[in-house]
Amino acid sequence: MNELTFEINSNEEIWDLLDKDFNAIFIHKFVPNEAIEWWKTDFKTQNGTEFKNLSVRQMEMDVQTDLNGLKRIIELNTRQLRIYQFEKSISNTLEIERLPEKNRNQILKENGLKHFFFVNFELITIRSFESEFIKGIEQNPKFVKRITKRK
């Protein structure tokens, strides 16, 4: 897998890095509200049970969405995101943390993974099975100086 790490100035720059040809997005361990404080929300379970006006904190979830949904999530300015870009939706049984580390990449590739983006505050790490995708980012005038600086 090809890898690249460099600084980003804002979450809006993430959008410029995404491969718009792949619309199946999986966000692993998404935290919609980073502050360790209580906040109000409604919640509905799979079987239809609804909870209104719950107080929650430190809510973490896996999210499947499309590029439009990801754009809205990026606008939240979350400081940590684990974005997996697949060629198709992932199966219900695929749990990343349960995959053996030694062949995790191969299993993800077999399930259609194309690119992985890890946003960690001001840094982004991009991993891709496609070397041309990484080369395209390395040659992007918006990011080239920052990439050179990290190397």
Side-chain angles (χ1 to χ4, degrees):
M1 188 175 256
N2 305 285
E3 184 175 306
L4 183 61
T5 300
F6 58 96
E7 293 179 17
I8 56 171
N9 294 327
S10 68
N11 275 17
E12 289 80 32
E13 289 185 341
I14 299 167
W15 186 253
D16 296 335
L17 297 166
L18 295 167
D19 189 334
K20 306 308 185 294
D21 290 334
F22 300 106
N23 199 33
I25 305 296
F26 174 70
I27 302 172
H28 185 50
K29 295 188 175 188
F30 175 59
V31 179
N33 188 349
E34 294 181 33
I36 302 175
E37 61 187 28
W38 295 97
W39 51 287
K40 296 287 186 182
T41 191
D42 297 339
F43 182 75
K44 185 176 181 179
T45 65
Q46 184 177 1
N47 68 4
T49 304
E50 288 189 54
F51 298 92
K52 296 284 187 186
N53 205 27
L54 286 178
S55 293
V56 299
R57 69 175 174 192
Q58 297 178 321
M59 190 164 66
E60 177 184 280
M61 66 191 89
D62 289 344
V63 174
Q64 280 198 78
T65 189
D66 58 13
L67 287 168
N68 290 329
L70 177 58
K71 188 168 190 155
R72 292 184 62 211
I73 289 170
I74 288 170
E75 291 168 356
L76 293 174
N77 285 321
T78 305
R79 290 182 246 157
Q80 286 191 318
L81 285 171
R82 293 166 193 84
I83 303 166
Y84 293 79
Q85 197 167 23
F86 285 84
E87 62 185 351
K88 60 184 180 183
S89 295
I90 66 167
S91 73
N92 290 340
T93 58
L94 183 68
E95 293 183 63
I96 291 176
E97 62 274 348
R98 293 182 187 257
L99 297 175
E101 192 168 332
K102 66 181 179 180
N103 55 354
R104 179 177 293 156
N105 285 342
Q106 185 59 36
I107 293 169
L108 290 171
K109 184 177 182 180
E110 290 169 4
N111 279 275
L113 178 65
K114 291 298 182 179
H115 316 296
F116 170 70
F117 305 83
F118 177 50
V119 180
N120 191 17
F121 294 87
E122 73 278 353
L123 295 177
I124 188 165
T125 299
I126 304 166
R127 295 186 188 123
S128 178
F129 292 107
E130 300 174 6
S131 59
E132 292 301 314
F133 180 74
I134 295 292
K135 286 178 187 172
I137 294 170
E138 288 175 324
Q139 296 169 358
N140 184 320
K142 187 174 188 174
F143 305 110
V144 70
K145 288 182 182 179
R146 291 182 252 169
I147 293 168
T148 305
K149 182 180 173 184
R150 290 287 298 176
K151 289 184 175 181

